[in-house]
Amino acid sequence: MKLDPFLLALWLPIAGAPRAPERAGLTLETGSPDALCPELSRAQTAVDRRLGALQVDGSAGWRARYTIGHAPEGQPRDFVRLELFDPHGSLRLTRDLPLEGSSCAAMADVIALVLDRYFRSLDPEQREGAG
């Protein structure tokens, strides 16, 4: 899928983008605060329910950011891009999750499921950001 440079700019981190309150090991934020799909508090609740508390060593934790995207052509046209950064700031996961036919509540659960599967696939040392 080829995207217009203007649309790519929409995915760039927005200064002061809303963030959920700091958690022990995972911070969730949105790069599209006006889209409200899923709403940040709903997504955080789904992630907390699915993952529980993620424990990491040191002061920096993992950071997940989701951003609404729209492609003028191709499928899916509307999607949520989920990115996960480790405690060192390295991008560890990128997923484009289709919005078509999904409710915002369902998308919050999908985000939680993707993050849960990622963390379950890591050994404990990688979860702490040491790997």
Side-chain angles (χ1 to χ4, degrees):
M1 166 172 71
K2 183 173 173 144
L3 296 177
D4 182 278
F6 173 75
L7 293 174
L8 290 174
L10 294 176
W11 292 326
L12 296 177
I14 298 171
R19 292 181 178 207
E22 291 293 323
R23 307 287 185 192
L26 177 67
T27 300
L28 183 65
E29 63 187 39
T30 179
S32 47
D34 295 333
L36 299 178
C37 188
E39 199 270 326
L40 184 59
S41 64
R42 180 181 294 247
Q44 185 67 61
T45 298
V47 168
D48 288 347
R49 187 174 54 242
R50 185 88 192 187
L51 272 72
L54 182 66
Q55 298 298 317
V56 297
D57 289 336
S59 61
W62 290 78
R63 182 172 54 92
R65 178 179 56 225
Y66 64 91
T67 307
I68 304 296
H70 178 78
E73 299 175 358
Q75 293 295 327
R77 294 197 62 174
D78 294 318
F79 58 93
V80 172
R81 173 159 289 171
L82 176 62
E83 298 172 308
L84 179 64
F85 300 88
D86 69 17
H88 304 290
S90 298
L91 180 63
R92 292 296 195 100
L93 172 78
T94 301
R95 293 285 184 275
D96 288 342
L97 310 168
L99 266 174
E100 295 176 332
S102 296
S103 72
C104 292
M107 184 53 63
D109 290 335
V110 169
I111 288 170
L113 177 64
V114 170
L115 293 172
D116 181 54
R117 286 191 175 184
Y118 178 82
F119 285 114
R120 286 183 189 274
S121 72
L122 298 179
D123 63 47
E125 187 173 305
Q126 288 174 309
R127 280 185 215 132
E128 293 169 1

mmCIF file with all atom_site columns, all heavy atoms in Angstrom, residues 31-44:
data_model
loop_
_atom_site.group_PDB
_atom_site.id
_atom_site.type_symbol
_atom_site.label_atom_id
_atom_site.label_alt_id
_atom_site.label_comp_id
_atom_site.label_asym_id
_atom_site.label_entity_id
_atom_site.label_seq_id
_atom_site.pdbx_PDB_ins_code
_atom_site.Cartn_x
_atom_site.Cartn_y
_atom_site.Cartn_z
_atom_site.occupancy
_atom_site.B_iso_or_equiv
_atom_site.pdbx_formal_charge
_atom_site.auth_seq_id
_atom_site.auth_comp_id
_atom_site.auth_asym_id
_atom_site.auth_atom_id
_atom_site.pdbx_PDB_model_num
ATOM 1  N N   . GLY A 1 31 ? -1.607  9.207  18.930 1.00 0.00 ? 31 GLY A N   1
ATOM 2  C CA  . GLY A 1 31 ? -1.100  10.247 18.045 1.00 0.00 ? 31 GLY A CA  1
ATOM 3  C C   . GLY A 1 31 ? -2.228  10.967 17.325 1.00 0.00 ? 31 GLY A C   1
ATOM 4  O O   . GLY A 1 31 ? -1.984  11.888 16.553 1.00 0.00 ? 31 GLY A O   1
ATOM 5  N N   . SER A 1 32 ? -3.473  10.546 17.559 1.00 0.00 ? 32 SER A N   1
ATOM 6  C CA  . SER A 1 32 ? -4.634  11.192 16.932 1.00 0.00 ? 32 SER A CA  1
ATOM 7  C C   . SER A 1 32 ? -5.709  11.411 17.996 1.00 0.00 ? 32 SER A C   1
ATOM 8  O O   . SER A 1 32 ? -6.737  10.738 18.002 1.00 0.00 ? 32 SER A O   1
ATOM 9  C CB  . SER A 1 32 ? -5.159  10.337 15.773 1.00 0.00 ? 32 SER A CB  1
ATOM 10 O OG  . SER A 1 32 ? -5.281  8.986  16.145 1.00 0.00 ? 32 SER A OG  1
ATOM 11 N N   . PRO A 1 33 ? -5.469  12.367 18.897 1.00 0.00 ? 33 PRO A N   1
ATOM 12 C CA  . PRO A 1 33 ? -6.368  12.548 20.052 1.00 0.00 ? 33 PRO A CA  1
ATOM 13 C C   . PRO A 1 33 ? -7.781  12.955 19.692 1.00 0.00 ? 33 PRO A C   1
ATOM 14 O O   . PRO A 1 33 ? -8.704  12.670 20.456 1.00 0.00 ? 33 PRO A O   1
ATOM 15 C CB  . PRO A 1 33 ? -5.677  13.645 20.867 1.00 0.00 ? 33 PRO A CB  1
ATOM 16 C CG  . PRO A 1 33 ? -4.797  14.358 19.902 1.00 0.00 ? 33 PRO A CG  1
ATOM 17 C CD  . PRO A 1 33 ? -4.376  13.323 18.894 1.00 0.00 ? 33 PRO A CD  1
ATOM 18 N N   . ASP A 1 34 ? -7.992  13.583 18.541 1.00 0.00 ? 34 ASP A N   1
ATOM 19 C CA  . ASP A 1 34 ? -9.334  14.024 18.175 1.00 0.00 ? 34 ASP A CA  1
ATOM 20 C C   . ASP A 1 34 ? -10.176 12.914 17.565 1.00 0.00 ? 34 ASP A C   1
ATOM 21 O O   . ASP A 1 34 ? -11.383 13.065 17.405 1.00 0.00 ? 34 ASP A O   1
ATOM 22 C CB  . ASP A 1 34 ? -9.264  15.209 17.215 1.00 0.00 ? 34 ASP A CB  1
ATOM 23 C CG  . ASP A 1 34 ? -8.641  16.423 17.868 1.00 0.00 ? 34 ASP A CG  1
ATOM 24 O OD1 . ASP A 1 34 ? -8.735  16.541 19.106 1.00 0.00 ? 34 ASP A OD1 1
ATOM 25 O OD2 . ASP A 1 34 ? -8.046  17.243 17.156 1.00 0.00 ? 34 ASP A OD2 1
ATOM 26 N N   . ALA A 1 35 ? -9.547  11.813 17.174 1.00 0.00 ? 35 ALA A N   1
ATOM 27 C CA  . ALA A 1 35 ? -10.277 10.749 16.492 1.00 0.00 ? 35 ALA A CA  1
ATOM 28 C C   . ALA A 1 35 ? -11.181 9.968  17.456 1.00 0.00 ? 35 ALA A C   1
ATOM 29 O O   . ALA A 1 35 ? -12.240 9.513  17.070 1.00 0.00 ? 35 ALA A O   1
ATOM 30 C CB  . ALA A 1 35 ? -9.310  9.803  15.801 1.00 0.00 ? 35 ALA A CB  1
ATOM 31 N N   . LEU A 1 36 ? -10.739 9.792  18.680 1.00 0.00 ? 36 LEU A N   1
ATOM 32 C CA  . LEU A 1 36 ? -11.529 9.130  19.729 1.00 0.00 ? 36 LEU A CA  1
ATOM 33 C C   . LEU A 1 36 ? -11.956 7.703  19.377 1.00 0.00 ? 36 LEU A C   1
ATOM 34 O O   . LEU A 1 36 ? -12.982 7.219  19.854 1.00 0.00 ? 36 LEU A O   1
ATOM 35 C CB  . LEU A 1 36 ? -12.763 9.959  20.083 1.00 0.00 ? 36 LEU A CB  1
ATOM 36 C CG  . LEU A 1 36 ? -12.490 11.355 20.637 1.00 0.00 ? 36 LEU A CG  1
ATOM 37 C CD1 . LEU A 1 36 ? -13.791 12.090 20.902 1.00 0.00 ? 36 LEU A CD1 1
ATOM 38 C CD2 . LEU A 1 36 ? -11.640 11.288 21.889 1.00 0.00 ? 36 LEU A CD2 1
ATOM 39 N N   . CYS A 1 37 ? -11.207 7.044  18.538 1.00 0.00 ? 37 CYS A N   1
ATOM 40 C CA  . CYS A 1 37 ? -11.538 5.661  18.201 1.00 0.00 ? 37 CYS A CA  1
ATOM 41 C C   . CYS A 1 37 ? -10.261 4.837  18.128 1.00 0.00 ? 37 CYS A C   1
ATOM 42 O O   . CYS A 1 37 ? -9.564  4.903  17.120 1.00 0.00 ? 37 CYS A O   1
ATOM 43 C CB  . CYS A 1 37 ? -12.297 5.571  16.889 1.00 0.00 ? 37 CYS A CB  1
ATOM 44 S SG  . CYS A 1 37 ? -12.914 3.903  16.555 1.00 0.00 ? 37 CYS A SG  1
ATOM 45 N N   . PRO A 1 38 ? -9.941  4.127  19.162 1.00 0.00 ? 38 PRO A N   1
ATOM 46 C CA  . PRO A 1 38 ? -10.642 4.121  20.452 1.00 0.00 ? 38 PRO A CA  1
ATOM 47 C C   . PRO A 1 38 ? -10.209 5.298  21.315 1.00 0.00 ? 38 PRO A C   1
ATOM 48 O O   . PRO A 1 38 ? -9.125  5.829  21.142 1.00 0.00 ? 38 PRO A O   1
ATOM 49 C CB  . PRO A 1 38 ? -10.205 2.805  21.085 1.00 0.00 ? 38 PRO A CB  1
ATOM 50 C CG  . PRO A 1 38 ? -8.858  2.541  20.512 1.00 0.00 ? 38 PRO A CG  1
ATOM 51 C CD  . PRO A 1 38 ? -8.880  3.128  19.135 1.00 0.00 ? 38 PRO A CD  1
ATOM 52 N N   . GLU A 1 39 ? -11.073 5.670  22.218 1.00 0.00 ? 39 GLU A N   1
ATOM 53 C CA  . GLU A 1 39 ? -10.773 6.728  23.170 1.00 0.00 ? 39 GLU A CA  1
ATOM 54 C C   . GLU A 1 39 ? -9.666  6.218  24.086 1.00 0.00 ? 39 GLU A C   1
ATOM 55 O O   . GLU A 1 39 ? -9.629  5.042  24.429 1.00 0.00 ? 39 GLU A O   1
ATOM 56 C CB  . GLU A 1 39 ? -12.052 7.053  23.949 1.00 0.00 ? 39 GLU A CB  1
ATOM 57 C CG  . GLU A 1 39 ? -12.033 8.383  24.632 1.00 0.00 ? 39 GLU A CG  1
ATOM 58 C CD  . GLU A 1 39 ? -11.481 8.292  26.044 1.00 0.00 ? 39 GLU A CD  1
ATOM 59 O OE1 . GLU A 1 39 ? -11.691 7.277  26.726 1.00 0.00 ? 39 GLU A OE1 1
ATOM 60 O OE2 . GLU A 1 39 ? -10.822 9.252  26.461 1.00 0.00 ? 39 GLU A OE2 1
ATOM 61 N N   . LEU A 1 40 ? -8.740  7.080  24.452 1.00 0.00 ? 40 LEU A N   1
ATOM 62 C CA  . LEU A 1 40 ? -7.545  6.677  25.189 1.00 0.00 ? 40 LEU A CA  1
ATOM 63 C C   . LEU A 1 40 ? -7.864  5.948  26.493 1.00 0.00 ? 40 LEU A C   1
ATOM 64 O O   . LEU A 1 40 ? -7.258  4.922  26.795 1.00 0.00 ? 40 LEU A O   1
ATOM 65 C CB  . LEU A 1 40 ? -6.644  7.888  25.454 1.00 0.00 ? 40 LEU A CB  1
ATOM 66 C CG  . LEU A 1 40 ? -5.310  7.599  26.134 1.00 0.00 ? 40 LEU A CG  1
ATOM 67 C CD1 . LEU A 1 40 ? -4.461  6.628  25.328 1.00 0.00 ? 40 LEU A CD1 1
ATOM 68 C CD2 . LEU A 1 40 ? -4.548  8.910  26.359 1.00 0.00 ? 40 LEU A CD2 1
ATOM 69 N N   . SER A 1 41 ? -8.811  6.440  27.273 1.00 0.00 ? 41 SER A N   1
ATOM 70 C CA  . SER A 1 41 ? -9.115  5.778  28.553 1.00 0.00 ? 41 SER A CA  1
ATOM 71 C C   . SER A 1 41 ? -9.699  4.383  28.328 1.00 0.00 ? 41 SER A C   1
ATOM 72 O O   . SER A 1 41 ? -9.423  3.460  29.090 1.00 0.00 ? 41 SER A O   1
ATOM 73 C CB  . SER A 1 41 ? -10.038 6.637  29.416 1.00 0.00 ? 41 SER A CB  1
ATOM 74 O OG  . SER A 1 41 ? -11.288 6.790  28.796 1.00 0.00 ? 41 SER A OG  1
ATOM 75 N N   . ARG A 1 42 ? -10.485 4.224  27.269 1.00 0.00 ? 42 ARG A N   1
ATOM 76 C CA  . ARG A 1 42 ? -11.051 2.910  26.946 1.00 0.00 ? 42 ARG A CA  1
ATOM 77 C C   . ARG A 1 42 ? -9.948  1.941  26.536 1.00 0.00 ? 42 ARG A C   1
ATOM 78 O O   . ARG A 1 42 ? -9.925  0.786  26.950 1.00 0.00 ? 42 ARG A O   1
ATOM 79 C CB  . ARG A 1 42 ? -12.078 3.028  25.826 1.00 0.00 ? 42 ARG A CB  1
ATOM 80 C CG  . ARG A 1 42 ? -12.697 1.693  25.443 1.00 0.00 ? 42 ARG A CG  1
ATOM 81 C CD  . ARG A 1 42 ? -13.682 1.856  24.314 1.00 0.00 ? 42 ARG A CD  1
ATOM 82 N NE  . ARG A 1 42 ? -14.819 2.632  24.741 1.00 0.00 ? 42 ARG A NE  1
ATOM 83 C CZ  . ARG A 1 42 ? -16.051 2.148  24.867 1.00 0.00 ? 42 ARG A CZ  1
ATOM 84 N NH1 . ARG A 1 42 ? -16.281 0.887  24.609 1.00 0.00 ? 42 ARG A NH1 1
ATOM 85 N NH2 . ARG A 1 42 ? -17.031 2.910  25.249 1.00 0.00 ? 42 ARG A NH2 1
ATOM 86 N N   . ALA A 1 43 ? -8.997  2.433  25.723 1.00 0.00 ? 43 ALA A N   1
ATOM 87 C CA  . ALA A 1 43 ? -7.876  1.591  25.300 1.00 0.00 ? 43 ALA A CA  1
ATOM 88 C C   . ALA A 1 43 ? -7.010  1.222  26.503 1.00 0.00 ? 43 ALA A C   1
ATOM 89 O O   . ALA A 1 43 ? -6.585  0.073  26.642 1.00 0.00 ? 43 ALA A O   1
ATOM 90 C CB  . ALA A 1 43 ? -7.052  2.299  24.231 1.00 0.00 ? 43 ALA A CB  1
ATOM 91 N N   . GLN A 1 44 ? -6.764  2.174  27.399 1.00 0.00 ? 44 GLN A N   1
ATOM 92 C CA  . GLN A 1 44 ? -5.949  1.897  28.581 1.00 0.00 ? 44 GLN A CA  1
ATOM 93 C C   . GLN A 1 44 ? -6.618  0.862  29.473 1.00 0.00 ? 44 GLN A C   1
ATOM 94 O O   . GLN A 1 44 ? -5.967  -0.032 30.001 1.00 0.00 ? 44 GLN A O   1
ATOM 95 C CB  . GLN A 1 44 ? -5.674  3.184  29.368 1.00 0.00 ? 44 GLN A CB  1
ATOM 96 C CG  . GLN A 1 44 ? -4.725  2.968  30.531 1.00 0.00 ? 44 GLN A CG  1
ATOM 97 C CD  . GLN A 1 44 ? -3.327  2.602  30.079 1.00 0.00 ? 44 GLN A CD  1
ATOM 98 O OE1 . GLN A 1 44 ? -2.685  3.385  29.391 1.00 0.00 ? 44 GLN A OE1 1
ATOM 99 N NE2 . GLN A 1 44 ? -2.847  1.430  30.444 1.00 0.00 ? 44 GLN A NE2 1
#
